[in-house]
mmCIF file of all heavy atoms in Angstrom:
data_model
loop_
_atom_site.group_PDB
_atom_site.id
_atom_site.type_symbol
_atom_site.label_atom_id
_atom_site.label_comp_id
_atom_site.label_asym_id
_atom_site.label_seq_id
_atom_site.Cartn_x
_atom_site.Cartn_y
_atom_site.Cartn_z
ATOM 1 N N LEU A 14 -51.039 1.166 -0.462
ATOM 2 C CA LEU A 14 -50.492 1.932 0.702
ATOM 3 C C LEU A 14 -49.052 1.330 0.917
ATOM 4 O O LEU A 14 -48.109 2.139 1.208
ATOM 5 C CB LEU A 14 -51.370 1.741 1.962
ATOM 6 C CG LEU A 14 -51.026 2.596 3.148
ATOM 7 C CD1 LEU A 14 -51.122 4.140 2.736
ATOM 8 C CD2 LEU A 14 -51.926 2.228 4.326
ATOM 9 N N TYR A 18 -45.514 3.376 0.803
ATOM 10 C CA TYR A 18 -44.781 3.430 2.037
ATOM 11 C C TYR A 18 -43.309 2.957 1.578
ATOM 12 O O TYR A 18 -42.329 3.441 2.076
ATOM 13 C CB TYR A 18 -45.358 2.433 3.073
ATOM 14 C CG TYR A 18 -44.607 2.288 4.334
ATOM 15 C CD1 TYR A 18 -44.457 3.308 5.261
ATOM 16 C CD2 TYR A 18 -43.832 1.025 4.653
ATOM 17 C CE1 TYR A 18 -43.586 3.104 6.396
ATOM 18 C CE2 TYR A 18 -43.135 0.858 5.674
ATOM 19 C CZ TYR A 18 -43.028 1.921 6.603
ATOM 20 O OH TYR A 18 -42.232 1.652 7.765
ATOM 21 N N ILE A 28 -31.900 9.942 0.254
ATOM 22 C CA ILE A 28 -31.684 11.380 0.666
ATOM 23 C C ILE A 28 -30.832 11.442 1.827
ATOM 24 O O ILE A 28 -29.825 12.212 1.956
ATOM 25 C CB ILE A 28 -33.071 12.110 0.932
ATOM 26 C CG1 ILE A 28 -33.787 12.305 -0.357
ATOM 27 C CG2 ILE A 28 -32.739 13.477 1.607
ATOM 28 C CD1 ILE A 28 -35.188 12.863 -0.120
ATOM 29 N N SER A 69 -29.899 -14.443 2.343
ATOM 30 C CA SER A 69 -29.639 -14.810 0.959
ATOM 31 C C SER A 69 -29.903 -13.675 0.066
ATOM 32 O O SER A 69 -29.150 -13.408 -0.755
ATOM 33 C CB SER A 69 -30.580 -16.017 0.588
ATOM 34 O OG SER A 69 -30.308 -16.368 -0.708
ATOM 35 N N HIS A 73 -27.180 -11.527 -2.364
ATOM 36 C CA HIS A 73 -27.322 -11.209 -3.747
ATOM 37 C C HIS A 73 -27.183 -9.644 -4.019
ATOM 38 O O HIS A 73 -26.477 -9.313 -5.058
ATOM 39 C CB HIS A 73 -28.682 -11.700 -4.235
ATOM 40 C CG HIS A 73 -28.870 -13.185 -4.350
ATOM 41 N ND1 HIS A 73 -27.832 -14.010 -4.777
ATOM 42 C CD2 HIS A 73 -29.808 -14.126 -3.987
ATOM 43 C CE1 HIS A 73 -28.190 -15.295 -4.650
ATOM 44 N NE2 HIS A 73 -29.434 -15.309 -4.100
ATOM 45 N N GLN A 89 -11.718 4.314 -12.779
ATOM 46 C CA GLN A 89 -10.932 5.520 -12.292
ATOM 47 C C GLN A 89 -9.544 5.096 -12.065
ATOM 48 O O GLN A 89 -8.702 6.137 -11.796
ATOM 49 C CB GLN A 89 -11.571 5.940 -10.976
ATOM 50 C CG GLN A 89 -13.058 6.344 -11.013
ATOM 51 C CD GLN A 89 -13.297 7.692 -11.729
ATOM 52 O OE1 GLN A 89 -12.313 8.470 -11.973
ATOM 53 N NE2 GLN A 89 -14.591 8.069 -11.923
ATOM 54 N N TRP A 92 -3.799 3.141 -15.355
ATOM 55 C CA TRP A 92 -2.831 2.008 -15.520
ATOM 56 C C TRP A 92 -1.253 2.534 -15.404
ATOM 57 O O TRP A 92 -0.483 1.850 -14.837
ATOM 58 C CB TRP A 92 -2.912 1.437 -16.998
ATOM 59 C CG TRP A 92 -1.923 0.289 -17.298
ATOM 60 C CD1 TRP A 92 -1.001 0.394 -18.270
ATOM 61 C CD2 TRP A 92 -1.705 -0.871 -16.637
ATOM 62 N NE1 TRP A 92 -0.238 -0.595 -18.274
ATOM 63 C CE2 TRP A 92 -0.580 -1.548 -17.267
ATOM 64 C CE3 TRP A 92 -2.306 -1.522 -15.644
ATOM 65 C CZ2 TRP A 92 -0.111 -2.812 -16.911
ATOM 66 C CZ3 TRP A 92 -1.827 -2.744 -15.122
ATOM 67 C CH2 TRP A 92 -0.786 -3.436 -15.790
ATOM 68 N N VAL A 139 -12.245 -12.407 6.758
ATOM 69 C CA VAL A 139 -11.806 -11.069 7.150
ATOM 70 C C VAL A 139 -10.382 -10.829 6.535
ATOM 71 O O VAL A 139 -9.802 -9.789 6.866
ATOM 72 C CB VAL A 139 -11.831 -10.853 8.646
ATOM 73 C CG1 VAL A 139 -13.279 -10.876 9.177
ATOM 74 C CG2 VAL A 139 -10.877 -11.809 9.327
ATOM 75 N N GLY A 153 -10.479 11.617 -2.938
ATOM 76 C CA GLY A 153 -10.246 12.906 -2.535
ATOM 77 C C GLY A 153 -9.111 13.150 -1.547
ATOM 78 O O GLY A 153 -8.785 14.200 -1.208
ATOM 79 N N SER A 168 -6.686 -3.878 -3.283
ATOM 80 C CA SER A 168 -8.118 -4.044 -2.886
ATOM 81 C C SER A 168 -8.971 -4.450 -4.019
ATOM 82 O O SER A 168 -9.964 -5.291 -3.837
ATOM 83 C CB SER A 168 -8.646 -2.789 -2.255
ATOM 84 O OG SER A 168 -8.633 -1.771 -3.108
ATOM 85 N N ASN A 171 -7.893 -8.358 -4.510
ATOM 86 C CA ASN A 171 -7.874 -9.399 -3.432
ATOM 87 C C ASN A 171 -9.236 -9.794 -2.872
ATOM 88 O O ASN A 171 -9.356 -10.765 -2.223
ATOM 89 C CB ASN A 171 -6.991 -8.939 -2.345
ATOM 90 C CG ASN A 171 -7.613 -7.889 -1.385
ATOM 91 O OD1 ASN A 171 -8.756 -7.359 -1.644
ATOM 92 N ND2 ASN A 171 -6.820 -7.459 -0.413
ATOM 93 N N VAL A 208 -8.770 -13.069 -15.156
ATOM 94 C CA VAL A 208 -7.929 -12.001 -15.788
ATOM 95 C C VAL A 208 -8.258 -12.156 -17.302
ATOM 96 O O VAL A 208 -8.459 -11.063 -18.059
ATOM 97 C CB VAL A 208 -6.420 -12.168 -15.611
ATOM 98 C CG1 VAL A 208 -5.688 -11.316 -16.468
ATOM 99 C CG2 VAL A 208 -6.199 -11.937 -14.059
ATOM 100 N N SER A 246 -21.106 -12.226 -15.069
ATOM 101 C CA SER A 246 -21.977 -13.461 -15.371
ATOM 102 C C SER A 246 -21.142 -14.449 -16.135
ATOM 103 O O SER A 246 -21.188 -15.662 -15.831
ATOM 104 C CB SER A 246 -23.260 -13.052 -16.031
ATOM 105 O OG SER A 246 -23.972 -12.125 -15.317
ATOM 106 N N TYR A 260 -13.119 -6.074 -12.506
ATOM 107 C CA TYR A 260 -12.095 -5.077 -12.176
ATOM 108 C C TYR A 260 -11.197 -5.012 -13.318
ATOM 109 O O TYR A 260 -10.792 -3.753 -13.679
ATOM 110 C CB TYR A 260 -11.418 -5.427 -10.888
ATOM 111 C CG TYR A 260 -10.384 -4.365 -10.472
ATOM 112 C CD1 TYR A 260 -10.807 -3.124 -10.039
ATOM 113 C CD2 TYR A 260 -8.999 -4.669 -10.613
ATOM 114 C CE1 TYR A 260 -9.897 -2.206 -9.657
ATOM 115 C CE2 TYR A 260 -8.067 -3.695 -10.189
ATOM 116 C CZ TYR A 260 -8.542 -2.382 -9.756
ATOM 117 O OH TYR A 260 -7.676 -1.514 -9.384
ATOM 118 N N ILE A 320 -5.715 -8.109 17.011
ATOM 119 C CA ILE A 320 -4.794 -9.051 16.372
ATOM 120 C C ILE A 320 -4.729 -8.803 14.880
ATOM 121 O O ILE A 320 -3.579 -8.817 14.273
ATOM 122 C CB ILE A 320 -5.231 -10.472 16.688
ATOM 123 C CG1 ILE A 320 -5.078 -10.755 18.148
ATOM 124 C CG2 ILE A 320 -4.416 -11.474 15.881
ATOM 125 C CD1 ILE A 320 -5.688 -12.129 18.617
ATOM 126 N N LEU A 323 -3.045 -5.046 14.448
ATOM 127 C CA LEU A 323 -1.699 -4.779 14.989
ATOM 128 C C LEU A 323 -0.780 -5.979 14.715
ATOM 129 O O LEU A 323 0.560 -5.719 14.802
ATOM 130 C CB LEU A 323 -1.737 -4.512 16.442
ATOM 131 C CG LEU A 323 -2.584 -3.331 16.898
ATOM 132 C CD1 LEU A 323 -2.600 -3.254 18.438
ATOM 133 C CD2 LEU A 323 -2.136 -2.123 16.295
ATOM 134 N N THR A 334 6.085 -7.736 0.946
ATOM 135 C CA THR A 334 6.805 -6.608 0.311
ATOM 136 C C THR A 334 8.300 -6.652 0.430
ATOM 137 O O THR A 334 9.057 -5.652 0.202
ATOM 138 C CB THR A 334 6.217 -5.239 0.575
ATOM 139 O OG1 THR A 334 6.359 -5.103 2.078
ATOM 140 C CG2 THR A 334 4.743 -5.204 0.274
ATOM 141 N N LEU A 345 4.576 0.604 6.893
ATOM 142 C CA LEU A 345 3.637 0.938 8.077
ATOM 143 C C LEU A 345 2.380 1.503 7.617
ATOM 144 O O LEU A 345 1.342 1.156 8.185
ATOM 145 C CB LEU A 345 4.365 1.979 8.934
ATOM 146 C CG LEU A 345 5.621 1.477 9.756
ATOM 147 C CD1 LEU A 345 6.322 2.587 10.385
ATOM 148 C CD2 LEU A 345 5.123 0.302 10.744
ATOM 149 N N LYS A 353 -11.262 -2.976 6.392
ATOM 150 C CA LYS A 353 -12.330 -3.984 6.235
ATOM 151 C C LYS A 353 -13.634 -3.261 5.936
ATOM 152 O O LYS A 353 -13.848 -2.103 6.393
ATOM 153 C CB LYS A 353 -12.354 -4.877 7.430
ATOM 154 C CG LYS A 353 -11.144 -5.482 7.941
ATOM 155 C CD LYS A 353 -10.375 -6.183 6.814
ATOM 156 C CE LYS A 353 -8.939 -6.541 7.128
ATOM 157 N NZ LYS A 353 -8.232 -7.186 6.040
ATOM 158 N N ILE A 394 -6.706 7.664 8.268
ATOM 159 C CA ILE A 394 -5.846 7.417 7.114
ATOM 160 C C ILE A 394 -4.976 8.697 6.775
ATOM 161 O O ILE A 394 -3.800 8.643 6.637
ATOM 162 C CB ILE A 394 -6.779 7.021 5.853
ATOM 163 C CG1 ILE A 394 -7.255 5.638 5.937
ATOM 164 C CG2 ILE A 394 -5.957 7.189 4.494
ATOM 165 C CD1 ILE A 394 -6.254 4.548 5.742
ATOM 166 N N LYS A 450 -10.008 19.226 -39.714
ATOM 167 C CA LYS A 450 -11.129 19.927 -40.173
ATOM 168 C C LYS A 450 -12.397 19.621 -39.223
ATOM 169 O O LYS A 450 -12.636 18.521 -38.854
ATOM 170 C CB LYS A 450 -11.538 19.656 -41.576
ATOM 171 C CG LYS A 450 -12.599 20.556 -42.253
ATOM 172 C CD LYS A 450 -12.816 20.157 -43.577
ATOM 173 C CE LYS A 450 -13.947 20.946 -44.241
ATOM 174 N NZ LYS A 450 -14.199 20.508 -45.594
ATOM 175 N N LEU A 478 -8.996 22.447 -21.631
ATOM 176 C CA LEU A 478 -9.611 22.674 -22.983
ATOM 177 C C LEU A 478 -10.838 21.766 -23.266
ATOM 178 O O LEU A 478 -10.783 20.561 -22.921
ATOM 179 C CB LEU A 478 -8.572 22.387 -24.149
ATOM 180 C CG LEU A 478 -7.124 22.973 -23.955
ATOM 181 C CD1 LEU A 478 -6.218 22.519 -25.192
ATOM 182 C CD2 LEU A 478 -7.246 24.444 -23.928
ATOM 183 N N PHE A 479 -11.896 22.383 -23.766
ATOM 184 C CA PHE A 479 -13.017 21.649 -24.232
ATOM 185 C C PHE A 479 -13.106 21.598 -25.660
ATOM 186 O O PHE A 479 -13.283 22.665 -26.319
ATOM 187 C CB PHE A 479 -14.306 22.211 -23.571
ATOM 188 C CG PHE A 479 -14.472 21.936 -22.155
ATOM 189 C CD1 PHE A 479 -14.052 22.905 -21.161
ATOM 190 C CD2 PHE A 479 -14.987 20.735 -21.627
ATOM 191 C CE1 PHE A 479 -14.115 22.591 -19.837
ATOM 192 C CE2 PHE A 479 -15.190 20.468 -20.271
ATOM 193 C CZ PHE A 479 -14.705 21.449 -19.345
#
Side-chain angles (χ1 to χ4, degrees):
L14 190 62
Y18 175 72
I28 290 172
S69 180
H73 293 316
Q89 301 286 351
W92 176 245
V139 298
S168 61
N171 74 0
V208 172
S246 300
Y260 183 71
I320 292 172
L323 301 178
T334 57
L345 288 173
K353 310 303 169 188
I394 286 287
K450 186 180 179 181
L478 313 178
F479 287 94

